[in-house]
């Protein structure tokens, strides 16, 4: 019974720690004293305390019982003095102190490891770049701005209400909103439309002039590259496994490259791993235009009705996403 106690359970070191000791029968005292001695030996073997002989106040060799004047009126032993308490605290195992510290954190409303739990889960289905591309396609097909906002709201709110999880929504909302608003992004990618055409002509081993002519006809460099991939069967990927966080890191890395060979290598890395649809929207992110005909207000209205007004005041997307007071 004494050997499987929790780390922060008070250790019985002598009969002074047992209330009502004097009221016990002699045979019961002998059994308890035996347990105390065994516990002391076990703790000594584990290195918690030094093995010291215990005083047995209940046997024939023990001192006389404590005078009644040292007891409380109800028969319980008097409380230990502050000095005695301090001495006992020193004898407690270190694990007991740590356990107490964790309990104190919980009592104050803290949550151990809460920082880790808030980190985005890249494996979440809501963080799939493929889903992001399809969401953009849906928004682009809608003519009413209110419908565009509703599409965003449905995507991020079907499993949550006012950012409070009701189902299994664990998407990275900040990265999602940042990618939906590439015009707000301050990153510089050092690439223009004709450079992208030339780079992909090199990657796909296609005539540059043909791609340039296609681009002149469509006016959309991302569609030109997608059509080239599909028409020439240059991609074996039907659905990539990149997350929006991985795309965000890829964009960060792109800002570091200014030479043609570096940019070509970086674009080629993505082209081999993304579907034509996904590559199309990756290029649109580079061009800072998703071509979905939705401005900042329409996207932020998908969060809640007050988000756009707040953004006008602070211009900080992270703050907008973190706030909980915008729920409507």
């Amino acid at each position: 019974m004494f050997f499987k106690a929790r780390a922060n359970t008070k250790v019985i070191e002598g009969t002074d720690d047992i209330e009502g000791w004097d009221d016990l029968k002699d045979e019961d005292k002998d059994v308890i004293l035996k347990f105390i001695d065994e516990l002391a030996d076990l703790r000594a073997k584990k290195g918690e305390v030094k093995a010291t002989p215990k005083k047995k106040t209940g046997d024939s060799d023990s001192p006389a019982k404590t005078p009644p004047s040292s007891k409380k009126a109800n028969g319980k032993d008097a409380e230990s003095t502050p000095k005695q308490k301090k001495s006992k605290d020193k004898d407690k195992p270190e694990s007991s102190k740590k356990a107490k510290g964790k309990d104190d954190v919980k009592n104050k409303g803290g949550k151990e490891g809460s920082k880790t739990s808030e980190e985005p889960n890249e494996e979440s289905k809501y963080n799939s770049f493929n889903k992001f591309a399809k969401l953009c396609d849906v928004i682009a097909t809608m003519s009413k701005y209110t419908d565009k906002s509703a599409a965003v709201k449905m995507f991020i709110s079907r499993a949550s209400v006012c950012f409070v999880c009701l189902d299994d929504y664990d998407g990275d909302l900040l990265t999602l909103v940042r990618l939906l608003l590439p015009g707000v992004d301050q990153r510089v990618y050092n690439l223009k439309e004709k450079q992208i055409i030339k780079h992909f002509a090199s990657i796909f081993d296609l005539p540059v002039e043909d791609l340039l002519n296609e681009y002149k006809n469509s006016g959309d460099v991302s569609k030109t590259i997608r059509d080239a991939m599909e028409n020439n069967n240059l991609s074996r990927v039907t659905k990539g496994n990149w997350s929006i966080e991985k795309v965000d890191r890829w964009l960060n890395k792109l800002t570091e490259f200014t030479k043609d060979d570096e940019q070509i290598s970086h674009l080629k890395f993505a082209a081999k791993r993304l579907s034509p649809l996904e590559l199309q929207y990756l290029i649109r992110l580079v061009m800072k235009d998703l071509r979905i005909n939705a401005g900042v207000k329409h996207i932020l209205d998908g969060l809640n009705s007050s988000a756009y007004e707040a953004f006008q005041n602070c211009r900080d997307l992270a703050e907008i996403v973190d706030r909980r007071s915008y729920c409507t």
Side-chain angles (χ1 to χ4, degrees):
M1 58 185 280
F2 293 107
F3 307 140
K4 295 184 179 180
R6 295 180 180 176
N8 59 349
T9 300
K10 182 178 178 180
V11 177
I12 297 176
E13 298 178 334
T15 57
D16 290 340
D17 297 326
I18 303 175
E19 294 183 2
W21 172 259
D22 295 331
D23 299 328
L24 297 176
K25 296 180 181 179
D26 290 339
E27 56 266 27
D28 294 332
K29 291 180 180 179
D30 291 338
V31 174
I32 294 174
L33 288 169
K34 182 180 178 182
F35 276 125
I36 293 175
D37 289 340
E38 290 177 358
L39 177 60
D41 293 339
L42 181 63
R43 293 177 65 223
K45 289 178 181 179
K46 290 184 177 180
E48 293 180 357
V49 294
K50 293 181 179 179
T52 55
K54 298 288 180 182
K55 292 183 179 180
K56 300 181 180 180
T57 58
D59 56 17
S60 58
D61 296 331
S62 62
K65 294 181 180 179
T66 306
S69 59
S70 65
K71 299 179 183 179
K72 291 184 179 179
N74 60 4
K76 293 183 179 180
D77 292 346
E79 291 185 0
S80 302
T81 63
K83 187 174 181 180
Q84 289 173 326
K85 286 184 178 181
K86 188 174 182 181
S87 176
K88 288 181 181 180
D89 288 340
K90 287 183 179 179
D91 292 337
K92 287 185 180 180
E94 189 66 24
S95 59
S96 176
K97 296 178 183 178
K98 290 181 180 179
K100 185 178 184 301
K102 291 181 180 179
D103 290 339
D104 290 342
V105 172
K106 291 180 181 179
N107 292 335
K108 292 179 182 178
K111 186 175 181 182
E112 189 180 359
S114 59
K115 184 176 181 181
T116 303
S117 64
E118 293 177 359
E119 293 179 357
N121 173 21
E122 290 198 36
E123 300 298 323
S124 167
K125 60 184 178 181
Y126 297 102
N127 289 336
S128 163
F129 185 59
N130 181 267
K131 280 189 176 294
F132 172 85
K134 290 180 178 179
L135 172 63
C136 291
D137 260 1
V138 170
I139 296 173
T141 60
M142 295 178 171
S143 56
K144 294 182 179 180
Y145 291 127
T146 53
D147 290 342
K148 294 176 185 290
S149 300
V152 175
K153 185 174 183 178
M154 182 178 294
F155 183 83
I156 65 176
S157 303
R158 58 184 172 183
S160 62
V161 175
C162 296
F163 304 102
V164 178
C165 182
L166 298 180
D167 183 19
D168 61 347
Y169 182 79
D170 54 355
D172 185 351
L173 187 57
L174 177 58
T175 301
L176 173 67
V177 174
R178 286 178 60 210
L179 295 184
L180 284 172
L181 297 173
V184 178
D185 197 337
Q186 299 299 314
R187 287 177 288 194
V188 178
Y189 302 121
N190 304 303
L191 280 172
K192 300 296 183 182
E193 288 87 345
K194 289 186 178 180
Q195 285 178 284
I196 291 176
I197 292 290
K198 291 179 180 179
H199 288 345
F200 276 102
S202 174
I203 293 170
F204 296 151
D205 194 22
L206 295 174
V208 177
E209 292 300 324
D210 290 351
L211 291 181
L212 285 173
N213 289 333
E214 290 294 331
Y215 166 60
K216 290 177 182 178
N217 292 331
S218 67
D220 181 357
V221 65
S222 65
K223 187 177 185 304
T224 300
I225 302 305
R226 177 181 177 178
D227 289 344
M229 289 183 73
E230 293 177 336
N231 295 337
N232 294 279
N233 296 319
L234 298 175
S235 176
R236 297 180 180 178
V237 180
T238 56
K239 181 180 178 181
N241 60 4
W242 278 23
S243 65
I244 56 177
E245 292 89 356
K246 185 174 181 65
V247 168
D248 197 51
R249 291 193 296 270
W250 184 91
L251 291 170
N252 276 335
K253 194 70 176 176
L254 181 61
T255 63
E256 302 173 9
F257 301 137
T258 56
K259 297 180 180 179
D260 287 348
D261 57 341
E262 295 173 334
Q263 293 172 340
I264 289 172
S265 176
H266 200 53
L267 290 168
K268 185 176 182 179
F269 181 85
K272 286 185 174 181
R273 292 162 176 80
L274 299 178
S275 69
L277 172 66
E278 294 159 3
L279 184 62
Q280 178 180 15
Y281 278 101
L282 183 70
I283 295 172
R284 288 181 175 181
L285 286 170
V286 173
M287 302 312 302
K288 292 183 177 288
D289 184 3
L290 293 175
R291 303 179 77 90
I292 58 177
N293 195 26
V296 177
K297 184 180 188 308
H298 313 126
I299 298 300
L300 294 184
D301 279 352
L303 300 184
N304 53 71
S305 59
S306 303
Y308 178 64
E309 181 181 354
F311 178 72
Q312 286 181 309
N313 294 328
C314 69
R315 308 297 295 182
D316 186 349
L317 288 177
E319 183 177 341
I320 302 304
V321 171
D322 285 341
R323 290 185 185 183
R324 298 294 185 269
S325 59
Y326 298 143
C327 297
T328 56

